[in-house]
Amino acid sequence: ALIVNAMSELTANLTAFLIARRLSTIRKADRILGGGDDRIIGRGTHKSLMHQGGYYADLDNKQCETEAAQSVLECQGI
């Protein structure tokens, strides 16, 4: 969260290209390009890509589920 907030402040008035493994890093971006199979397979805001469904939405849902499971395990001390 600290990195995401810092990136938001640093790039407020700039054009920046971010490459991220975790989608939570780019959720607030003005434009997201999703890639796969050596081509762009999704383009839009987080909200529009989630509404379209498909690869981006599936990946985001899986990452949220994984993060939620990890939080539960951390809270239980596992």
Side-chain angles (χ1 to χ4, degrees):
L2 293 172
I3 292 171
V4 172
N5 290 336
M7 290 300 296
S8 293
E9 290 179 25
L10 290 171
T11 61
N13 297 315
L14 303 171
T15 298
F17 292 91
L18 300 174
I19 299 172
R21 180 171 281 218
R22 298 182 80 184
L23 298 182
S24 59
T25 305
I26 59 170
R27 282 193 180 119
K28 294 181 182 178
D30 295 328
R31 185 174 301 145
I32 299 169
L33 302 175
D37 297 328
D38 297 327
R39 62 187 177 93
I40 295 173
I41 58 173
R43 178 186 320 227
T45 63
H46 173 75
K47 184 177 180 178
S48 69
L49 289 168
M50 292 300 290
H51 182 72
Q52 291 171 20
Y55 182 76
Y56 179 89
D58 290 343
L59 185 59
D60 187 73
N61 289 329
K62 287 177 187 173
Q63 283 189 4
C64 285
E65 290 170 6
T66 300
E67 289 171 5
Q70 287 173 346
S71 294
V72 169
L73 294 175
E74 289 171 6
C75 290
Q76 295 175 353
I78 297 173

